[in-house]
Amino acid sequence: QVQLVESGGGLVQPGGSLRLSCAAFGSSISIYVMNWYRQAPGKQRELVATITSGGTTNYADFVNSRFTISRDNTKNTVYLQMNSLKPEDAAVYYCNKGPPRFPWGQGTQVTVSS
């Protein structure tokens, strides 16, 4: 059973940057398409970015070239570099693969505020 542990969130001012990490434990995730999701209070969880096992990436329209998803299969970890953060990016960020999903991790809180 894979356990996902997200980290790297925090409080940042508008225009700032954060790098999120998603470390997987228990089994290799290298063969899977991995995704970053986010969920803001009162809203549904939404897909942010996707990376295939081969490194092909795709992003939600609202990312608008501000975020970069990457992976290091030697570390069994997926990353999300977020630049030019906006207040509307504030949410709890999660990683997971597509259905069937691994158990959800605890997520990492991103707060964007001056």
Side-chain angles (χ1 to χ4, degrees):
Q1 185 76 302
V2 171
Q3 180 186 9
L4 300 169
V5 179
E6 299 92 349
S7 62
L11 171 63
V12 63
Q13 293 185 343
S17 299
L18 286 172
R19 188 193 193 207
L20 308 184
S21 298
C22 168
F25 301 92
S27 184
S28 173
I29 60 170
S30 64
I31 64 170
Y32 298 111
V33 174
M34 293 298 296
N35 309 305
W36 278 100
Y37 302 87
R38 70 185 188 185
Q39 187 168 20
K43 296 187 177 181
Q44 289 189 334
R45 191 170 295 175
E46 61 182 350
L47 180 64
V48 176
T50 297
I51 186 165
T52 68
S53 58
T56 300
T57 59
N58 196 27
Y59 300 92
D61 289 344
F62 60 77
V63 169
N64 199 21
S65 302
R66 299 179 297 128
F67 299 174
T68 303
I69 187 172
S70 61
R71 67 194 302 163
D72 185 339
N73 289 332
T74 66
K75 296 182 179 180
N76 221 27
T77 299
V78 180
Y79 303 97
L80 185 68
Q81 176 67 45
M82 304 190 297
N83 300 326
S84 302
L85 283 161
K86 304 175 181 180
E88 53 263 43
D89 294 317
V92 180
Y93 284 71
Y94 303 86
C95 69
N96 213 324
K97 69 179 184 73
R101 303 194 196 282
F102 298 128
W104 291 96
Q106 83 288 350
T108 186
Q109 176 73 54
V110 171
T111 303
V112 185
S113 175
S114 54

